[in-house]
């Protein structure tokens, strides 16, 4: 096996050719470590790494850096998310060094939800650099051992670099090229936005494979189980860049209310089965939003257990 | 031009509540063009304040004047004879006006009558939109005439983000996603290669981040031209 870039479990799993399965966990709106640790237990052993979100939807929560370290203490591997909204390049580089020092080995580079969507819409945003530049910055720090100004880093941070991709945002024709740019910038793995429109995603992945992007980077398909028809309807209408076909909403509405959650999980399981076979897909990123306790059941029914020990 | 909006009458009334004789000064520059601080607006504000104060039972005396520009000392000087005849002065210029006035007339109180908003232009009658962020390092040509620094909510150099939907910005349904426009323009012109690769890190020193800015033309300072 050639040299690992970070040595993270996720990197090893992917490199060994296993179908990766990652999860997601939002830190609490407070310093409630007990609550966070309870959520961790649903994910432990069921996923290869867990995304720790960074003040997602611009709502203030415990820092993703701190929560990532708490996760390591509980024996799970975090995928530390960092957004460009709240930090300039000085803070970003500082936190990257800190992340490595704390034992974090995966990092997902994001622009960040705009603060007007959050609970402090009066806030000033930063956006000194964007997600594309962030990817290249982490790569530069890791591979060249340099800060952005060219100065040497004393012990370079070794991180497995992740990036996001939303094939359902516009303009669609450009999305595959933007993905290519992220890979060119240095992304080792990609986690896509929640996929619901399978027809469109199949078309997107064909373009990805035709361009050979899947050979340069591991692509994990984003899956979010719908809790009920109301959630599907809400997301369809209110979340920009979210493509939810009417057929899915109809399918959820077609069963009794008490059975809608299971129908949502069934749809997610069908997706996972297809992703296992889909050309260019290296794994699934399961975003069970505030539904972490369902992860053990979903992982079991998706037949992705036990997770590989590498 | 510099675009500005009028402050609410309520806010202005609160500013001048303890004054009985004021001067309102308009500006013939940008704020006249964007209909917020020209003669017409000054007259309307004057009438509105007088009316409101009359209702409150505390009449106020108001004079009005419009200067050619409030960002130029030679025009600011025009009120030197009368400026101290008033309890206070409302400047209906961009944020430069009340400051130039305050700097020249240190014993007078100047209130801003406008909220200065952005550098932009009228896209239709009665609608102004932002076009420039004054970042000090113009690269509009790189983006085919569309500036993402000013016009993308996240100032992305490598957009569009995942919130771009049907050509509209997720932050404000009234705003176009400028990255959608940039990408479409490039693709239609067969210039996709311009969008391949990472656009480099921006040097913000020329923007406000580098501290208060100053522009010096040596030849003018020395009087050689």
């Amino acid at each position: 096996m050639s040299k690992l870039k970070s040595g993270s479990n996720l990197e090893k799993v992917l490199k060994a050719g296993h179908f990766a399965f990652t999860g997601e966990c939002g830190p609490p709106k407070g310093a409630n470590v007990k609550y966070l640790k309870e959520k961790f237990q649903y994910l432990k052993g069921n996923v290869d790494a867990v995304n720790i979100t960074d003040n997602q939807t611009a709502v203030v929560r415990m820092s993703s850096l701190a929560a990532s370290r708490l996760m390591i203490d509980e024996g799970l591997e975090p995928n530390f998310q960092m957004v460009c909204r709240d930090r300039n390049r000085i803070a970003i580089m500082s936190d990257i060094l800190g992340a490595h020092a704390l034992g974090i080995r995966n990092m997902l580079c994001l622009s960040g939800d705009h603060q007007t969507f959050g609970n402090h819409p009066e806030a000033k945003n930063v956006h000194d650099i964007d997600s594309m530049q962030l990817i290249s910055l982490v790569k530069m720090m890791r591979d060249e051992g340099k800060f952005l100004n060219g100065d040497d880093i004393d012990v370079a941070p070794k991180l497995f670099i992740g990036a996001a991709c939303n094939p359902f945002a516009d303009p669609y024709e450009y999305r595959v090229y933007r993905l290519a740019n992220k890979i060119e910038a240095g992304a080792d793995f990609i986690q896509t936005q929640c996929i619901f429109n399978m027809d469109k995603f199949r078309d997107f992945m064909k373009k990805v494979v035709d361009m050979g992007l899947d050979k340069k980077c591991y692509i994990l398909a984003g899956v979010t189980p719908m809790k009920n028809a109301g959630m599907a309807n809400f997301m369809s209408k209110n979340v920009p860049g979210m493509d939810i076909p009417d057929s899915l909403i109809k399918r959820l509405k077609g069963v009794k209310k008490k059975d809608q959650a299971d129908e949502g999980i069934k749809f997610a399981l069908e997706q996972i089965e297809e992703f296992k076979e889909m050309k260019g897909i290296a794994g699934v990123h399961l975003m069970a939003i505030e539904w972490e306790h369902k992860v053990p059941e979903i992982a079991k029914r998706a037949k992705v257990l036990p997770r590989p020990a590498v | 031009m510099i675009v500005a909006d009028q402050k609410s009458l309520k806010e202005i009334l609160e500013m001048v509540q303890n004054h009985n004789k004021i001067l309102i000064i308009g500006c013939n520059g940008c704020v006249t063009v964007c209909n917020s601080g020209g003669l017409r607006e000054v007259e309307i504000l004057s009438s509105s304040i007088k009316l409101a104060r009359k209702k409150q039972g505390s009449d106020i005396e108001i004079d009005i004047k419009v200067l050619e520009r409030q960002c130029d000392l030679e025009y600011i000087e025009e009120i030197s004879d009368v400026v101290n005849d008033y309890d206070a002065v409302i400047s209906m210029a961009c944020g430069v006006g009340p400051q130039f006035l305050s700097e020249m007339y240190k014993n007078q109180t100047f209130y801003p009558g406008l909220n200065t908003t952005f550098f932009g232009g009228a896209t239709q009658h009665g609608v102004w939109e932002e076009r420039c962020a004054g970042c000090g390092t113009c690269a509009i040509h790189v983006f085919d005439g569309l500036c993402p620094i000013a016009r993308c909510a996240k100032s992305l150099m490598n957009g569009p983000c995942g919130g771009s939907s049907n050509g509209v910005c997720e932050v404000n349904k009234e705003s176009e996603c400028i990255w959608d426009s940039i990408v479409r323009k490039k693709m239609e012109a067969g210039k996709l290669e311009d969008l391949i690769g990472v656009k480099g890190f921006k040097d913000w020193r020329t923007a406000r981040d580098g501290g208060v800015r100053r522009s010096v033309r040596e030849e003018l300072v020395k009087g050689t031209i």
Side-chain angles (χ1 to χ4, degrees):
Chain A
M1 189 183 278
S2 60
K3 203 164 168 280
L4 292 164
K5 292 173 176 174
S6 71
S8 77
N9 181 60
L10 180 61
E11 181 182 10
K12 288 182 201 163
V13 165
L14 286 164
K15 202 162 177 129
H18 297 292
F19 188 77
F21 196 61
T22 56
E24 188 152 312
C25 182
K29 289 187 201 173
N32 192 340
V33 176
K34 186 169 165 282
Y35 171 73
L36 192 57
K37 285 183 178 176
E38 281 169 14
K39 290 216 282 188
F40 290 165
Q41 291 317 307
Y42 299 119
L43 296 152
K44 193 171 182 177
N46 295 315
V47 291
D48 302 313
V50 182
N51 286 36
I52 294 283
T53 50
D54 182 8
N55 296 302
Q56 76 271 25
T57 64
V59 170
V60 184
R61 292 168 180 274
M62 184 194 290
S63 89
S64 57
L65 188 58
S68 292
R69 176 63 222 191
L70 289 168
M71 174 168 268
I72 293 172
D73 291 343
E74 294 300 302
L76 291 89
E77 177 167 286
N79 178 18
F80 165 53
Q81 292 194 187
M82 187 193 276
V83 301
C84 300
R85 177 193 60 225
D86 309 324
R87 301 167 176 85
N88 67 8
R89 63 190 76 183
I90 299 169
I92 284 173
M93 288 187 280
S94 173
D95 279 353
I96 289 169
L97 295 177
H100 177 84
L102 289 171
I104 291 161
R105 294 294 179 265
N106 306 303
M107 178 176 153
L108 190 75
C109 305
L110 304 165
S111 291
D113 297 317
H114 198 269
Q115 74 278 4
T116 52
F117 294 114
N119 62 355
H120 289 76
E122 310 86 352
K124 187 176 190 331
N125 61 25
V126 183
H127 297 299
D128 175 14
I129 68 175
D130 63 25
S131 61
M132 196 76 72
Q133 294 163 340
L134 177 58
I135 296 164
S136 68
L137 176 57
V138 187
K139 185 179 165 64
M140 181 187 188
M141 292 174 76
R142 182 189 69 192
D143 297 349
E144 297 172 39
K146 303 273 189 196
F147 289 106
L148 191 52
N149 66 352
D151 284 356
D152 289 333
I153 296 175
D154 179 14
V155 182
K158 298 296 179 192
L159 294 160
F160 196 43
I161 306 169
C165 165
N166 185 2
F168 307 103
D170 291 322
Y172 175 66
E173 319 80 69
Y174 180 62
R175 288 289 156 183
V176 72
Y177 296 106
R178 187 155 197 266
L179 172 62
N181 279 347
K182 287 195 173 180
I183 296 169
E184 187 60 33
D188 300 309
F189 70 100
I190 297 290
Q191 291 174 320
T192 78
Q193 177 64 280
C194 320
I195 300 157
F196 299 104
N197 186 339
M198 292 297 279
D199 287 341
K200 195 165 188 179
F201 190 67
R202 285 182 202 110
D203 181 70
F204 180 75
M205 281 310 296
K206 190 176 177 308
K207 293 179 201 294
V208 168
V209 172
D210 287 348
M211 283 175 68
L213 300 179
D214 58 315
K215 302 284 182 247
K216 299 178 180 172
C217 182
Y218 301 105
I219 299 170
L220 277 59
V223 172
T224 289
M226 288 290 189
K227 294 176 185 175
N228 49 54
M231 174 180 172
N233 216 14
F234 178 83
M235 285 173 76
S236 172
K237 289 195 177 117
N238 298 302
V239 184
M242 196 69 72
D243 184 349
I244 301 171
D246 289 341
S247 58
L248 174 59
I249 299 173
K250 263 189 202 157
R251 177 173 163 177
L252 293 168
K253 278 183 180 164
V255 300
K256 285 180 188 154
K257 196 138 193 180
K258 69 173 178 57
D259 297 326
Q260 286 183 358
D262 196 58
E263 197 62 28
I265 290 174
K266 273 184 193 155
F267 178 73
L269 294 171
E270 289 162 19
Q271 288 183 294
I272 295 170
E273 280 312 302
E274 184 171 344
F275 292 139
K276 284 181 188 172
E277 305 299 326
M278 191 179 282
K279 207 166 173 216
I281 293 295
V284 157
H285 176 51
L286 180 71
M287 290 166 274
I289 304 164
E290 290 305 312
W291 225 22
E292 287 88 351
H293 65 278
K294 285 283 183 186
V295 172
E297 178 195 332
I298 295 168
K300 190 174 171 214
R301 290 171 68 184
K303 301 185 205 65
V304 294
L305 298 179
R307 296 311 307 150
V310 284
Chain B
M1 76 179 121
I2 295 173
V3 179
D5 296 327
Q6 269 191 41
K7 283 184 177 290
S8 70
L9 182 61
K10 181 173 176 284
E11 187 179 353
I12 294 174
L13 285 171
E14 282 168 9
M15 285 174 174
V16 300
Q17 63 183 343
N18 296 322
H19 305 305
N20 298 315
K21 185 182 180 189
I22 63 169
L23 174 66
I24 303 177
I25 312 176
C27 179
N28 268 336
C30 308
V31 295
T32 291
V33 185
C34 69
N35 301 71
S36 53
L39 177 61
R40 185 170 158 268
E41 291 76 39
V42 167
E43 285 173 343
I44 292 170
L45 179 66
S46 171
S47 306
S48 304
I49 295 173
K50 280 182 189 165
L51 197 63
R53 287 287 291 262
K54 198 176 181 72
K55 272 188 187 168
Q56 290 170 13
S58 60
D59 282 344
I60 184 167
E61 193 181 325
I62 303 178
D63 286 336
I64 61 170
K65 185 162 182 63
V66 178
L67 299 179
E68 189 56 28
R69 283 194 297 277
Q70 291 190 29
C71 54
D72 213 324
L73 296 177
E74 74 173 279
Y75 297 115
I76 298 279
E77 278 173 357
E78 287 177 14
I79 59 163
S80 61
D81 291 347
V82 296
V83 67
N84 289 321
D85 295 346
Y86 302 91
D87 299 343
V89 179
I90 296 174
S91 163
M92 296 279 279
C94 71
V96 179
Q99 295 191 61
F100 264 40
L101 287 161
S102 296
E103 287 164 31
M104 186 171 284
Y105 306 112
K106 298 192 186 332
N107 297 323
Q108 183 55 284
T109 300
F110 296 93
Y111 294 104
L114 304 182
N115 291 318
T116 308
T117 47
F118 52 79
F119 304 147
T123 52
Q124 65 181 77
H125 190 62
V127 178
W128 289 266
E129 286 183 6
E130 186 165 15
R131 287 291 182 271
C132 178
C135 74
T137 312
C138 192
I140 287 170
H141 58 293
V142 176
F143 305 101
D144 280 17
L146 303 164
C147 177
I149 301 300
R151 300 173 70 183
C152 167
K154 298 176 185 174
S155 292
L156 298 184
M157 293 279 283
N158 299 275
C161 77
S164 176
S165 187
N166 296 315
V168 173
C169 173
E170 65 175 350
V171 174
N172 181 356
K173 299 282 173 263
E174 301 294 314
S175 298
E176 69 177 300
C177 167
I178 201 64
W179 264 106
D180 186 275
S181 303
I182 293 168
V183 167
R184 287 184 195 285
K185 198 169 174 186
K186 292 274 192 195
M187 290 182 96
E188 280 165 20
K191 296 197 286 184
L192 180 65
E193 70 278 6
D194 287 0
L195 298 169
I196 305 302
V198 182
K199 297 272 184 309
F201 297 84
K202 190 167 171 66
D203 181 346
W204 293 102
R205 281 175 295 187
T206 54
R208 182 63 184 74
D209 308 85
V212 179
R213 292 170 283 178
R214 199 159 182 249
S215 184
V216 181
R217 309 281 148 72
E218 290 293 347
E219 68 279 15
L220 295 175
V221 176
K222 288 176 187 159
T224 52
I225 61 165

